[in-house]
């Protein structure tokens, strides 16, 4: 690889990691990946394979769109989240939680769960339809978890490296994720692919495309604060996320539904942007003669 391409990769990777991890990224990396201690999940577990992959960028955006369809979950976001003024802050907090619970020492994972549960205790109110909500409600936590796991798995199956998971691995991934959901207080999180599909069906009568959900979707897909140079690749990422949304979600959120285009141009664009992120964020190769245990950051 040429020095020029290394420089481009370092620049792009730095921008991606700045958005996802924030200014505390290097310190948090030490907290999670470099710290000693027993982990919740061994290196051979499917949750580590899925959550380490660049396809999570697509899955995360899909999860936000899907979660917005629950009026009570959306009311909590609209009433207590600063996502319009600080959308990257929310992304950074979510990515840190996923990294800490998936890859971090058990003590760090426990602290991450305790922080989230503490925040949840403060998020409560009344939705526009008059129903009370609380972020710590086990049923609502179950919906958030189901939307995330379904989205992360769908994104990995289409865009993940190393080929899709087989049936046993999919069940194992869902079972791994349920361990974290249990710690957060979610009610009866699904533990197999069949249970996940059933949970989605059971939630459908509760879902609706509210004005708040449609406004959030427009913001996420079309109005996210980005520099001009980042808008085309983000557009490809957004298109890939929309392409993974179930058909029944499109009209409530006013999302386009173009099956032929999504299966061809959209899927190619999705593979392209995920591959670009994967290339940009992988560790740089060591220079000849360099210490093999040291990352080349030049």
């Amino acid at each position: 690889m040429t020095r020029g391409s290394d420089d481009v990769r370092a620049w792009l990777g730095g921008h991606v990691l700045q958005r996802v991890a924030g200014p505390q990224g290097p310190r948090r990396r030490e907290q999670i990946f470099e710290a000693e201690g027993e982990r919740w999940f061994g290196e051979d577990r499917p949750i580590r394979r899925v959550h380490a992959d660049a396809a999570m960028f697509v899955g995360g955006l899909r999860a936000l769109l899907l979660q917005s369809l629950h009026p009570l979950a959306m009311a909590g976001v609209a009433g207590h989240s600063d996502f319009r003024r600080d959308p990257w802050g929310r992304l950074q907090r979510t990515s840190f939680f996923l990294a800490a619970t998936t890859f971090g020492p058990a003590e760090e994972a426990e602290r991450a769960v305790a922080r989230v549960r503490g925040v949840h205790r403060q998020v409560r109110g009344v939705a526009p339809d008059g129903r009370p909500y609380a972020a710590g409600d086990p049923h609502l936590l179950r919906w958030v978890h189901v939307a995330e796991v379904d989205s992360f798995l769908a994104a990995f199956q289409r865009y993940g490296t190393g080929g899709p998971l087989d049936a046993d691995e999919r069940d194992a991934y869902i079972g791994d994720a349920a361990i974290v959901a249990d710690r957060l207080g979610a009610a009866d999180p699904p533990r197999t692919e069949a249970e996940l599909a059933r949970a989605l069906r059971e939630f459908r009568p509760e879902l609706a495309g509210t004005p708040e959900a449609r406004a959030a979707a427009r913001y996420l897909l079309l109005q996210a604060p980005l520099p001009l140079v980042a808008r085309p690749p983000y557009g490809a990422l957004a298109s890939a996320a929309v392409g993974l949304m179930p058909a029944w979600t499109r009209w409530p959120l006013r999302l386009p539904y173009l099956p032929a285009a999504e299966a061809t141009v959209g899927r190619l664009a999705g593979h392209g942007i995920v591959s670009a992120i994967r290339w940009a964020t992988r560790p740089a190769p060591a220079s000849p003669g360099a210490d093999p245990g040291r990352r080349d950051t030049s």
Side-chain angles (χ1 to χ4, degrees), residues 82-114:
D82 198 22
F83 77 94
R84 288 183 181 275
R85 288 188 294 272
D86 184 26
W88 308 121
R90 184 184 181 202
L91 172 64
Q92 289 155 16
R93 290 187 292 273
T94 301
S95 67
F96 176 70
F97 176 80
L98 287 169
T101 52
T102 305
F103 305 101
E107 290 184 0
E108 188 63 45
E110 295 282 4
R111 283 193 292 268
V113 168

Side-chain angles (χ1 to χ4, degrees), residues 69-216:
L69 282 169
H70 198 296
L72 299 185
M74 189 61 237
V77 171
H80 297 268
S81 171
D82 198 22
F83 77 94
R84 288 183 181 275
R85 288 188 294 272
D86 184 26
W88 308 121
R90 184 184 181 202
L91 172 64
Q92 289 155 16
R93 290 187 292 273
T94 301
S95 67
F96 176 70
F97 176 80
L98 287 169
T101 52
T102 305
F103 305 101
E107 290 184 0
E108 188 63 45
E110 295 282 4
R111 283 193 292 268
V113 168
R115 280 192 294 269
V116 171
R117 296 193 71 155
V119 171
H120 284 172
R121 284 193 289 271
Q122 303 172 43
V123 178
R124 55 182 63 246
V126 179
D129 61 11
R131 289 182 293 165
Y133 66 83
D137 175 4
H139 181 70
L140 205 55
L141 284 171
R142 185 175 193 251
W143 164 247
V144 171
H145 172 73
V146 164
E148 286 183 350
V149 171
D150 187 69
S151 296
F152 298 158
L153 185 56
F156 186 85
Q157 292 300 92
R158 180 167 296 179
Y159 297 114
T161 188
L165 304 180
D166 63 28
D168 289 341
E169 290 171 328
R170 294 194 296 273
D171 282 349
Y173 168 69
I174 295 164
D176 286 347
I179 293 172
V180 182
D182 279 329
R183 302 288 183 112
L184 280 174
D188 191 24
R191 286 172 163 78
T192 66
E193 191 171 23
E195 290 181 5
L196 178 61
R198 183 164 62 249
L200 279 170
R201 290 194 302 271
E202 291 170 351
F203 270 111
R204 281 190 62 177
E206 302 179 34
L207 308 182
T210 61
E212 294 78 13
R214 291 193 288 270

Side-chain angles (χ1 to χ4, degrees), residues 27-63:
R27 182 180 66 82
R28 287 178 167 177
R29 181 176 182 84
E30 292 179 4
Q31 283 179 258
I32 296 169
F33 297 99
E34 299 175 18
E36 295 183 357
E38 184 179 351
R39 268 62 177 168
W40 281 359
F41 305 105
E43 293 185 6
D44 62 335
R45 297 305 303 169
I47 194 171
R48 291 176 67 111
R49 180 178 168 192
V50 173
H51 289 181
D53 197 87
M56 285 287 284
F57 284 82
V58 177
L61 187 52
R62 181 192 190 266

